[in-house]
Amino acid sequence: MTDAIKIDVWSDIACPWCYIGKRNLEKGLAEASGDDDAPAVEVTFRSFELSPDTPVDFEGGEADYLAQHKGISEAQAHQLLERVTGVAAGAGIEYRFDLLKHTNTVKAHELLHFAKEQGRQHELTERLMSAYFTEGRHLGREDELVSLAADAGLDGEEARDALQSGRFLPAVRADQAQAAAYGINGVPFFVIDGKYGVSGAQPAEAFAQIVRQVWSEDHDSARV
């Protein structure tokens, strides 16, 4: 019996390419799941803060943030946003940068570790990314995060306690330390079975191909 392929996804809920990469990964895994010998896969989301020094209440829009963070003009920032909006549409996501509230994401990452403990990490990851990129929700605020946790099937008061206690912050920092050890400096970044690294929001076909390849390799080694 071959063990499931483990895919660790380093991402940030405030990263537009991470949401696209997540959707493409899901589509690729769905495609491979139709194979006669379908790969068994376990996906875990890991914490990565693109901009840990961002304040909870950032003054300005996403173009302002990009211009400041990347040192580019506002016109260039708008061009980048237009490009990623088009790519997102191809993945079935309608980005609303006109509504987006840029914020610090460390509390969202803590909540994702709480959700992982409760077996609801995938549901919360989708809910947080959708809320951030398509609904203009403020993910730096505790009440908003608790509400979204409830949407994802988690107990709201337990989620609030998890945020207020800070007990999942060490897990966030451990993910970040592992990313540094791997040399990850941009997300999304996918680590397959701890030995293959895939950078960026690859197309769905690429994810389908790699899980099929790894599954075949695992089968071959199991037969030796």
Side-chain angles (χ1 to χ4, degrees):
M1 181 70 179
T2 304
D3 292 336
I5 298 167
K6 292 179 170 55
I7 302 181
D8 291 292
V9 185
W10 269 267
S11 67
D12 192 349
I13 59 97
C15 163
W17 293 104
C18 291
Y19 197 8
I20 295 166
K22 174 181 175 295
R23 278 292 171 85
N24 289 349
L25 173 65
E26 290 165 349
K27 289 177 182 176
L29 296 182
E31 180 185 326
S33 72
D35 295 356
D36 290 338
D37 182 23
V41 181
E42 294 176 6
V43 178
T44 301
F45 290 94
R46 303 291 184 183
S47 300
F48 191 100
E49 289 179 89
L50 279 175
S51 182
D53 58 347
T54 299
V56 170
D57 293 301
F58 178 80
E59 295 293 332
E62 188 68 358
D64 298 308
Y65 164 76
L66 282 175
Q68 292 176 30
H69 189 66
K70 292 184 175 291
I72 59 177
S73 70
E74 192 169 330
Q76 289 172 314
H78 281 293
Q79 287 176 348
L80 285 175
L81 294 178
E82 286 175 14
R83 176 172 172 250
V84 74
T85 297
V87 177
I93 312 166
E94 184 186 359
Y95 279 176
R96 291 295 306 272
F97 287 111
D98 56 320
L99 302 177
L100 189 147
K101 295 177 177 62
H102 199 79
T103 188
N104 188 287
T105 61
V106 68
K107 284 296 180 183
H109 284 296
E110 291 180 48
L111 192 63
L112 285 167
H113 278 278
F114 166 70
K116 179 186 173 187
E117 182 184 83
Q118 301 294 314
R120 306 290 294 178
Q121 191 193 47
H122 287 219
E123 292 84 353
L124 184 63
T125 300
E126 176 64 31
R127 188 66 195 100
L128 292 182
M129 287 182 163
S130 175
Y132 186 78
F133 284 109
T134 75
E135 301 168 33
R137 303 280 288 271
H138 195 314
L139 268 60
R141 293 179 179 163
E142 183 181 290
D143 286 346
E144 198 82 290
L145 288 171
V146 169
S147 173
L148 294 167
D151 289 350
L154 295 159
D155 182 277
E157 288 314 304
E158 289 182 7
R160 190 182 300 278
D161 178 69
L163 291 171
Q164 291 180 347
S165 70
R167 69 179 185 272
F168 289 98
L169 183 59
V172 174
R173 298 303 183 221
D175 279 354
Q176 292 169 330
Q178 183 62 67
Y182 279 144
I184 298 170
N185 51 28
V187 288
F189 197 94
F190 306 81
V191 176
I192 295 94
D193 273 351
K195 55 186 178 182
Y196 299 109
V198 178
S199 178
Q202 301 294 324
E205 316 80 79
F207 288 117
Q209 180 181 357
I210 194 166
V211 294
R212 286 168 172 149
Q213 176 187 330
V214 173
W215 188 247
S216 176
E217 290 173 0
D218 289 349
H219 272 212
D220 289 343
S221 64
R223 283 194 289 264
V224 173

